[in-house]
Amino acid sequence: MSYLILGIESSCDDTSAAVLRDEYLLSNVMASQSVHKEYGGVIPELASRAHQLNIVPVVDSALKHAGVEISQIDAIAFTRGPGLLGSLLVGTSFAKGLALASGKPLVEVNHLQGHILSHFIRQQGKENRSPKFPFLSLLVSGGHTQIVRVTDYLQFEVIGHTIDDAVGEAFDKCAKMMGLGYPGGPVIDRLAGEGDERRFRFAKPHIAGLDYSFSGIKTSLLYFLRDRLAENPSFIEENKADLAASFQKDLIDILLDKLIKAVKLTGIREITLGGGVSANSGLRKRVLSEGEKRGWNVYLPELKFTTDNAAMIAMSGLCKFRLGLTTTLDVAPVSRVSQMI
Ligand code: KG4
Ligand code: ZN
C-alpha cells in the first residue's frame, strides 16, 4: 500500500511542512524566524505569533511543491510535543482544523522520534543510506541530549540523557558569554574551524553510567572568562577562535565518551546522529573518525534534516500510520513527553 503523508512541524521557532510519498520526499518547506536574533534566544510569545503568520503559506507551498492536492493526502502528521506549548498549539490546531475540513486522519508525532527517524527519508537521485536495527542514536539538540537504543521503527529506549543542560544550550550559552549572538552553535562551529582546540581546557563532568551533564563546563567557562577579562578586557576578542575551538572540542569529547561507552555496553555498532547539534562539523568529523577506528557504521543526517523540519515528522507519521496509529480530534499538545520517546 502506498501512502501520501503531509507533515507539519511547529515545536520551536521553525514553521515547516513536508509531503512524503512513502519514504520519498516530495517537498519540505521551511520558514525560519529571524525575530529572535535581537533577543539572544527564542521568545515563546513571538514564536507562536510567527507560526500563526507562516503556517498557511508554508503548508500551501509544501502541497504545491509536491504537486498534490489535500484531497490526495492519506494522513496529516503533526508534532504534538515536546516543545514550546504556544508554538505547538499553532501546528496542532491547524492540523486538527485541516483534518476536520478534509476528512483525513490525524497522526501525532513525538518530535524526538522525528529526529531519529529522519534517517529513513529517501530522496530521488541520492544514495539513501539507512541504519539497520538495532542502532544507537545520539540525539543532540537545543532541548535534548540523549543516547537512544532503537530496535524497530517505533521501539525506542533512552539509555542515557542529560541531567541538566542540553549540549545545544551549552553551545548557545558559550556564544552568548562571548557576545557572538544567537543561535550560537553555528557561530562557534565556524570560529572553531579557525582556532587551536588544544589552547584552553575546561572542567569535564564526572557522571556515572551513560548520562550527560553540561552545566559544569558552562560554569567553568564563565569563571575562566571572568578571570581573564579582569586581566585583559580584550581577552575574548583576541582569543575568539581558540576559545570556540577549545570549548567545542570539550563538548565533543563529553559526547563521544558516553557514546563509546554505550557501544561497549550494548554491542551495537550502527550509529546515527540527529538534532540541531548534529550539524556541527567538528562532531561529524569526530564521529566518523571514531567510527572508522572502532568499526562502527556511521550515518550522518543531511544538513537540511539536522535542524527542525517537517520531513522527519511526515516520516514518523508514515511509520505510525502504517501500523494504524491515528489520533482523535480531541488531542492537545504537550510541552514535555516524559520518556514517551
Ligand atoms: O534540533 P534543533 O533545531 O531544535 C531543538 O529541537 O532544540 O536544535 C537547535 C540547536 C541550537 O542549540 C543550535 O545552536 C544548535 O542546535 N546548532 C548547532 C549547529 N547548528 C545548530 N550547534 C553546533 N554546531 C552547529 N553547526
Ligand atoms: Zn529538534
Side-chain angles (χ1 to χ4, degrees):
M1 191 82 178
S2 178
Y3 293 122
L4 265 177
I5 308 288
L6 170 66
I8 296 173
E9 155 65 29
S10 73
S11 65
C12 190
D13 59 343
D14 296 305
T15 320
S16 179
V19 177
L20 289 190
R21 184 186 300 284
D22 300 322
E23 288 85 355
Y24 276 90
L25 186 66
L26 301 187
S27 66
N28 187 30
V29 175
M30 183 99 65
S32 296
Q33 305 176 1
S34 54
V35 59
H36 308 288
K37 283 212 168 86
E38 60 185 289
Y39 299 99
V42 177
I43 308 293
E45 181 72 19
L46 296 179
S48 15
R49 285 179 198 211
H51 283 304
Q52 195 73 23
L53 288 175
N54 293 337
I55 191 116
V56 172
V58 163
V59 171
D60 189 48
S61 160
L63 289 169
K64 287 205 172 97
H65 274 88
V68 301
E69 305 275 342
I70 187 69
S71 58
Q72 295 170 270
I73 294 287
D74 291 292
I76 300 165
F78 68 99
T79 306
R80 184 180 176 204
L84 301 171
L85 203 61
S87 290
L88 291 162
L89 265 168
V90 178
T92 305
S93 304
F94 184 85
K96 284 165 72 167
L98 191 60
L100 189 64
S102 62
K104 303 294 177 184
L106 262 185
V107 182
E108 66 178 68
V109 168
N110 175 334
H111 178 86
L112 302 176
Q113 292 183 0
H115 276 300
I116 294 173
L117 295 177
S118 64
H119 286 276
F120 295 97
I121 299 168
R122 302 177 81 81
Q123 297 173 86
Q124 293 293 350
K126 296 262 171 96
E127 195 191 352
N128 296 320
R129 278 175 79 236
S130 301
K132 283 162 217 67
F133 298 110
F135 64 86
L136 294 180
S137 170
L138 178 64
L139 190 55
V140 280
S141 73
H144 298 85
T145 305
Q146 301 181 332
I147 301 177
V148 184
R149 188 211 313 251
V150 188
T151 45
D152 206 338
Y153 288 104
L154 298 173
Q155 300 288 326
F156 307 91
E157 184 195 354
V158 180
I159 57 173
H161 63 92
T162 180
I163 58 167
D164 42 54
D165 294 350
V167 64
E169 265 177 286
F171 270 105
D172 293 339
K173 283 178 185 162
C174 163
K176 198 167 184 175
M177 284 183 226
M178 289 171 60
L180 297 174
Y182 178 86
V187 191
I188 299 287
D189 190 355
R190 187 171 42 74
L191 271 175
E194 303 156 13
D196 174 2
E197 63 177 25
R198 281 160 308 196
R199 177 90 187 282
F200 306 112
R201 279 287 69 87
F202 305 101
K204 292 270 179 61
H206 297 283
I207 309 289
L210 298 177
D211 286 344
Y212 286 112
S213 165
F214 292 98
S215 68
I217 187 168
K218 184 190 68 189
T219 312
S220 161
L221 175 70
L222 180 72
Y223 290 148
F224 177 81
L225 291 178
R226 184 196 59 187
D227 294 348
R228 293 299 166 283
L229 285 170
E231 296 160 3
N232 171 13
S234 314
F235 179 78
I236 293 179
E237 195 47 43
E238 288 167 10
N239 297 284
K240 245 180 358 199
D242 292 349
L243 282 167
S246 303
F247 192 72
Q248 176 173 297
K249 178 183 186 302
D250 280 357
L251 293 180
I252 294 173
D253 282 349
I254 297 171
L255 288 173
L256 263 295
D257 186 38
K258 296 297 169 93
L259 184 61
I260 292 167
K261 215 174 192 175
V263 171
K264 284 189 182 144
L265 280 171
T266 61
I268 298 172
R269 294 191 138 70
E270 294 277 306
I271 308 294
T272 69
L273 290 192
V277 179
S278 67
N280 185 269
S281 52
L283 176 63
R284 292 170 81 92
K285 257 189 238 148
R286 179 73 183 283
V287 175
L288 282 175
S289 68
E290 292 288 345
E292 203 160 306
K293 202 162 74 191
R294 297 169 189 275
W296 303 348
N297 293 321
V298 173
Y299 303 83
L300 300 177
E302 233 183 86
L303 287 181
K304 68 178 176 204
F305 297 138
T306 58
T307 38
D308 295 343
N309 65 86
M312 68 185 197
I313 302 305
M315 184 64 228
S316 279
L318 172 69
C319 294
K320 294 182 96 172
F321 190 61
R322 278 177 173 159
L323 295 177
L325 298 172
T326 56
T327 309
T328 50
L329 280 171
D330 57 359
V331 63
V334 283
S335 57
R336 291 174 177 276
V337 195
S338 39
Q339 298 297 307
M340 181 188 140
I341 189 159

